[in-house]
Amino acid sequence: MEDDDFIEQPIYAISEKTSSTQYSPSTDYRSKFKNSSTPIVIDNGSYNCRAGWGSEKSPRFVFDNQVARYRDRKNNVSVVAVGPEIYADPAAKATARSPFDSNVVCDMERMEHVLDYIFLNLGIDTPTVGHPILMTEPACVPKSSRKMMTELLFECYSVPSVSYGIDSLFSFYANQDKKNGDGIVISAGHTATHIIPVIGGKGALDRTKRLNYGGTQASEYMLKLMQLKYPTFPTKVTSAQAEQLMHEHIFVAEDYQQILTDIENRQQFQKIDRIVQFPFSPLVRFVWSTTVQDDHANNQHQVIETKTEEELARQAARKEENAKRLREAAAKSRLEKLVQREQQHEAFTVLKELKGTVKKVEWLAQLKESGFDNEADLDATIKKLEEGIQRARNKELGIDENDDKEPPTFPLLEIPDDQLSEADKKEKKKQRLLKAGYDARQRAKKAKEEDKARQAEIARLDDERRINYPDEWLSDLKQKRKATVERIKTKKRLASELADRRSHASQLRMRSIASLASDTPASKRRKRGAEEDTFGADDEDWMVYREINREEESEDEEEDMASLNHYESLLLQHDPDFLPEHAFEAEQDPTNTLLHLLKHGMYPKYDAQDIGLSHQLHVNVERVRVPEVLFQPSIIGLDQAGLVDNINDIVRVYDASRKQSIVKNVFVTGGFGLMPGLAPRLQKTFQENFNVGWDIRVKTASNPMEDAWRGAAEFSMNDEFSKLSISKAEYEEYGGEYIKEHGLGNVFRSSS
């Protein structure tokens, strides 16, 4: 594409993940919380952990739920780092692990370090934790995980009571004015997406669905797409960098197929494509220049560039030079074909002359080795080459091959037969045939001259039309060029299909050849009991095809190329918008393909040797493909229904009035739910799937990352909270997996 169409795109930097927040133990514990029974609320997420006091409006601290154990070689001590402390030492980053397996806590040793970190930073300086604990857990968590967590809290920290609840339902609780209403919660989390219907303010867990796609799977899919797209990328793209690409650049397409169509359009492509610069060490010094455009009080100033006569002359000279280059390329191609034919003719002539110098058996063997069946086949090929060489030479020199040097005479045609001898009669018959051929050539010559005069007149009229009506003339010329290009592409596509003997076009051609070669052509419908025609299944059958396809490039294709070169030469001379890179040969360049566009964007001149450009990724189709898996899990081979299909399956069991009240309150929460465009896509899809006139409202949590903690904190300050918690005595009596049910938590089923 030309430089004028290129719009400079912003470049986004990829960076190493760091944590600027370093927490220290609180100093207000003794004065505010030590002698109180204020609950400690812990939103124990698999990506982030949030903790604080239930009486406060926001969590005291938010940190990555990871633990690192490593050896500090400088001080020769073993160190345990939690949360933001991990990023202070490269050794800690390399050994950081989460206590979660998917969204379930499995590593209780690391979980104990996380709880130590929470209680220490809350300022608790007593041997035991004398505050009730409210902790979030995922929907349908295994009882074994809850049992170990409860055991850890009671046995290790001696907490007075423990209660659990589902994080997404707490987020729903925090964002609802009417606490006992209906709705449906879409929890797009780090490891999975849960869909929980809410009836009367309580989660209906028997109708809950789980889609095994969340932030982790999305970042892994992004990493795989980038690795597949850039197999020779100079640096290794890490999981953390792929996660950053996923967080900062993806969006949910309202119409996925339309976005894919827009990507194929170069004008729309730049709106979707994003350039991501990875860090690199330059070998040479680069100077980056930017163009700054200032707007002064919304006053727009248009600068019209004018060209001098000298510049216009240079531009015309460049166009003429480009047109000359195209003509020279066409002449060079014809000359190369002529030289090739002459070489073949010389080689076959030498083979023909070799017949009298060697034994006949040896000569026939050489004949077979050269691809000829017999001597007649060789003679026919030599004759065909001679005719082609003569035509090409005459065409190059502008000589009409049918021109005669002088008109022949036929004197015997005027003499009656009774005055001629038998020999003269035979000669008269021969002269009559020669005169018929001569007259036919003269008529053809006259028709050709008339056609040449007609073409000259058409050219004159075309030139006048170009001068008087330049816009219409250019439009017609472009249409002729377009039609010619389509014919050439169609012939090339057919030729590529015929080259593959298993293609449909080749099979049809072979059947036609077999039918023509057969004395009794086969009917279109095979009779019952008749054997199936297997001609073409054997490689030897295709020798017939090679025999009939031994001619060189067809004259029609040569004429099309000549016409195309003529049209493009005129466009280069008279159309200022038609540049050499728009020519057919330039469009066939591999750098103009869609794959090159997706990998390298719309740089006018991509330089593979530029180390800065080689460390850039273009994120375009991946921006919509990664989140689209929520709606089409089959994209990654996930054998599950999509988000909307699962919701339809959930609400179908309810009556019409209940369905309307549910879809009136569609609630999206979770960190993965922060993707731009998710709520509009759900709104559009629900309107297409549910009855016309229904009031469908899709709402996103005010803060999807922290609303689960806020809802849990609000719930912990209710008067009923103490009745819904498990005391130490109840734990010892009923076991660690025991919980007291409430509308925002899991249900308990005894294992006995």
Side-chain angles (χ1 to χ4, degrees):
M1 64 174 294
E2 61 272 20
D3 295 357
D4 295 339
D5 291 341
F6 175 71
I7 300 174
E8 187 174 358
Q9 295 177 254
I11 297 178
Y12 299 85
I14 202 79
S15 58
E16 291 294 330
K17 186 174 181 180
T18 59
S19 179
S20 58
T21 305
Q22 294 289 337
Y23 299 107
S24 57
S26 302
T27 58
D28 59 350
Y29 173 70
R30 290 181 176 273
S31 60
K32 295 177 63 175
F33 302 105
K34 184 174 183 179
N35 298 320
S36 68
S37 59
T38 305
I40 297 175
V41 179
I42 303 173
D43 179 16
N44 193 25
S46 57
Y47 184 69
N48 281 342
C49 183
R50 290 155 285 271
W53 300 102
S55 59
E56 296 181 337
K57 298 298 183 182
S58 60
R60 283 289 181 101
F61 35 84
V62 180
F63 58 91
D64 290 352
N65 208 341
Q66 289 188 328
V67 179
R69 290 175 294 195
Y70 65 100
R71 187 76 178 177
D72 187 351
R73 299 185 182 277
K74 183 177 180 180
N75 299 316
N76 196 25
V77 293
S78 296
V79 180
V80 175
V82 180
E85 297 176 355
I86 293 173
Y87 303 100
D89 193 318
K93 290 171 61 177
T95 60
R97 299 290 184 273
S98 172
F100 285 80
D101 183 1
S102 185
N103 60 343
V104 177
V105 180
C106 296
D107 191 340
M108 287 300 161
E109 186 176 355
R110 280 190 165 84
M111 191 68 227
E112 183 177 353
H113 292 308
V114 172
L115 293 175
D116 288 341
Y117 181 80
I118 292 172
F119 297 143
L120 284 173
N121 282 284
L122 286 176
I124 300 176
D125 54 0
T126 57
T128 60
V129 179
H131 298 270
I133 302 295
L134 175 57
M135 183 177 290
T136 62
E137 62 181 8
C140 306
V141 66
K143 289 190 291 185
S144 59
S145 176
R146 185 191 301 128
K147 177 181 179 181
M148 290 188 292
M149 181 67 72
T150 305
E151 181 178 345
L152 177 64
L153 290 171
F154 278 121
E155 300 295 344
C156 187
Y157 298 99
S158 300
V159 298
S161 63
V162 176
S163 184
Y164 298 97
I166 299 174
D167 48 6
S168 55
L169 293 181
F170 279 140
S171 180
F172 180 81
Y173 181 80
N175 284 270
Q176 301 299 312
D177 296 329
K178 185 180 179 182
K179 304 298 184 182
N180 59 349
D182 296 340
I184 191 163
V185 178
I186 301 173
S187 174
H190 184 54
T191 58
T193 299
H194 289 89
I195 309 165
I196 307 175
V198 178
I199 306 298
K202 298 182 179 180
L205 298 183
D206 57 330
R207 299 296 302 166
T208 296
K209 299 286 185 179
R210 171 191 168 109
L211 179 61
N212 293 324
Y213 191 76
T216 299
Q217 293 83 359
S219 61
E220 289 176 356
Y221 185 41
M222 174 67 79
L223 178 60
K224 291 177 181 178
L225 289 176
M226 289 294 103
Q227 290 172 339
L228 182 64
K229 190 174 181 179
Y230 297 93
T232 59
F233 197 65
T235 63
K236 179 182 178 181
V237 182
T238 64
S239 299
Q241 291 169 338
E243 185 178 305
Q244 183 179 350
L245 291 176
M246 186 266 297
H247 283 161
E248 297 180 359
H249 300 291
I250 66 172
F251 69 95
V252 179
E254 189 168 337
D255 188 340
Y256 180 63
Q257 294 299 328
Q258 182 60 43
I259 291 292
L260 296 183
T261 304
D262 291 343
I263 288 176
E264 297 179 5
N265 186 327
R266 289 177 176 265
Q267 281 69 33
Q268 297 293 329
F269 175 80
Q270 293 186 83
K271 300 177 182 178
I272 302 172
D273 183 50
R274 285 191 176 182
I275 305 173
V276 181
Q277 181 70 61
F278 276 67
F280 66 96
S281 299
L283 300 178
V284 295
R285 183 179 179 85
F286 289 93
V287 180
W288 297 89
S289 61
T290 56
T291 301
V292 181
Q293 180 179 359
D294 296 327
D295 294 331
H296 300 283
N298 296 328
N299 292 328
Q300 298 180 353
H301 304 279
Q302 184 178 8
V303 179
I304 301 176
E305 182 182 0
T306 59
K307 296 183 178 180
T308 63
E309 293 183 1
E310 184 180 356
E311 291 175 338
L312 292 174
R314 284 200 301 268
Q315 184 179 5
R318 283 197 302 270
K319 289 186 176 180
E320 178 60 29
E321 183 181 354
N322 292 327
K324 182 180 177 181
R325 191 183 300 115
L326 286 175
R327 291 193 294 269
E328 290 176 351
K332 182 180 178 182
S333 176
R334 290 195 300 269
L335 182 60
E336 289 175 352
K337 291 178 181 177
L338 177 60
V339 171
Q340 183 181 3
R341 287 173 177 172
E342 289 178 343
Q343 291 175 350
Q344 290 179 347
H345 179 266
E346 183 180 356
F348 295 156
T349 304
V350 170
L351 180 62
K352 174 72 175 177
E353 294 173 350
L354 195 64
K355 179 181 178 181
T357 60
V358 298
K359 295 181 179 180
K360 185 176 182 180
V361 176
E362 295 179 1
W363 186 77
L364 290 175
Q366 293 184 14
L367 198 68
K368 291 287 185 180
E369 186 178 350
S370 299
F372 299 102
D373 290 338
N374 47 45
E375 185 177 358
D377 190 12
L378 175 62
D379 293 338
T381 303
I382 293 175
K383 183 179 179 181
K384 192 178 297 182
L385 285 172
E386 289 175 348
E387 293 174 353
I389 292 171
Q390 188 63 39
R391 282 198 304 269
R393 287 176 176 172
N394 291 339
K395 188 175 182 180
E396 194 72 24
L397 298 174
I399 300 176
D400 189 351
E401 59 186 13
N402 294 321
D403 286 346
D404 292 319
K405 295 182 179 180
E406 59 182 20
T409 58
F410 309 101
L412 297 178
L413 296 181
E414 304 296 334
I415 303 175
D417 290 345
D418 54 0
Q419 300 179 12
L420 298 175
S421 62
E422 292 297 327
D424 291 338
K425 289 180 181 179
K426 292 181 179 179
E427 183 65 22
K428 179 180 179 180
K429 186 176 181 181
K430 183 179 179 181
Q431 288 184 5
R432 185 180 292 113
L433 293 174
L434 292 174
K435 186 176 185 301
Y438 174 74
D439 292 341
R441 288 195 299 273
Q442 290 299 108
R443 287 194 299 270
K445 181 179 179 181
K446 184 178 180 180
K448 192 171 184 179
E449 290 176 351
E450 292 176 353
D451 183 67
K452 186 181 295 185
R454 186 169 59 255
Q455 293 295 333
E457 180 65 16
I458 291 174
R460 185 185 66 80
L461 295 175
D462 187 67
D463 197 45
E464 290 182 358
R465 187 163 175 261
R466 175 182 61 80
I467 297 173
N468 299 326
Y469 307 101
D471 295 337
E472 294 182 5
W473 181 82
L474 277 177
S475 178
D476 290 346
L477 188 62
K478 290 177 181 177
Q479 289 296 327
K480 292 178 183 177
R481 177 186 175 275
K482 182 179 179 181
T484 306
V485 169
E486 289 297 327
R487 285 199 304 272
I488 294 173
K489 288 183 177 180
T490 301
K491 291 176 181 178
K492 286 187 175 183
R493 184 168 58 251
L494 181 60
S496 64
E497 291 179 359
L498 291 175
D500 181 10
R501 71 182 186 88
R502 291 180 176 82
S503 66
H504 182 62
S506 291
Q507 295 292 340
L508 291 179
R509 183 170 177 81
M510 287 301 303
R511 290 186 185 279
S512 299
I513 294 171
S515 178
L516 291 172
S518 175
D519 295 334
T520 57
S523 61
K524 294 183 179 179
R525 297 183 62 183
R526 184 165 58 93
K527 297 180 180 180
R528 181 177 298 178
E531 294 184 358
E532 184 180 0
D533 182 15
T534 59
F535 185 82
D538 190 355
D539 289 343
E540 294 182 358
D541 297 340
W542 290 83
M543 291 301 297
V544 179
Y545 173 75
R546 296 189 182 96
E547 287 295 326
I548 68 171
N549 198 36
R550 287 168 67 173
E551 296 185 7
E552 298 295 327
E553 191 173 328
S554 66
E555 294 183 2
D556 291 341
E557 188 172 351
E558 291 182 356
E559 291 178 1
D560 286 339
M561 289 301 299
S563 300
L564 180 61
N565 290 332
H566 175 65
Y567 296 150
E568 291 183 346
S569 176
L570 291 175
L571 287 172
L572 284 170
Q573 293 179 24
H574 304 291
D575 186 1
D577 296 330
F578 189 84
L579 300 176
E581 50 263 32
H582 296 152
F584 178 73
E585 291 185 0
E587 290 179 350
Q588 302 306 306
D589 193 288
T591 60
N592 291 325
T593 60
L594 178 61
L595 179 60
H596 186 275
L597 183 69
L598 295 177
K599 289 185 65 175
H600 305 298
M602 299 187 67
Y603 277 109
K605 296 178 182 178
Y606 174 76
D607 184 7
Q609 302 301 322
D610 189 334
I611 191 170
L613 293 181
S614 64
H615 282 76
Q616 288 180 357
L617 294 181
H618 286 261
V619 188
N620 31 68
V621 68
E622 299 83 12
R623 297 184 64 196
V624 293
R625 180 174 292 169
V626 170
E628 185 65 21
V629 178
L630 279 176
F631 300 89
Q632 301 182 56
S634 59
I635 291 177
I636 61 171
L638 193 60
D639 189 17
Q640 285 186 285
L643 194 60
V644 177
D645 294 332
N646 276 317
I647 293 174
N648 287 335
D649 186 62
I650 288 173
V651 301
R652 66 181 176 81
V653 299
Y654 300 109
D655 55 42
S657 61
R658 180 70 74 181
K659 286 181 183 178
Q660 292 189 56
S661 64
I662 289 176
V663 299
K664 190 177 180 180
N665 188 13
V666 180
F667 180 74
V668 180
T669 186
F672 196 47
L674 288 170
M675 292 182 296
L678 179 58
R681 171 69 176 272
L682 290 171
Q683 180 80 30
K684 175 178 178 291
T685 311
F686 287 159
Q687 288 175 345
E688 294 173 351
N689 284 271
F690 293 108
N691 295 349
V692 177
W694 281 16
D695 184 13
I696 300 174
R697 302 177 188 177
V698 180
K699 176 185 177 183
T700 303
S702 58
N703 188 340
M705 298 293 290
E706 296 185 5
D707 279 354
W709 186 92
R710 291 192 176 96
E714 183 180 349
F715 180 79
S716 70
M717 300 308 293
N718 290 342
D719 296 336
E720 300 293 323
F721 174 68
S722 60
K723 299 178 181 179
L724 300 173
S725 300
I726 311 164
S727 64
K728 179 72 176 291
E730 290 172 326
Y731 155 70
E732 293 175 345
E733 181 178 356
Y734 299 112
E737 67 271 14
Y738 174 71
I739 58 170
K740 292 183 178 179
E741 295 183 9
H742 54 86
L744 305 179
N746 285 298
V747 296
F748 175 71
R749 294 291 183 268
S750 177
S751 54
S752 59

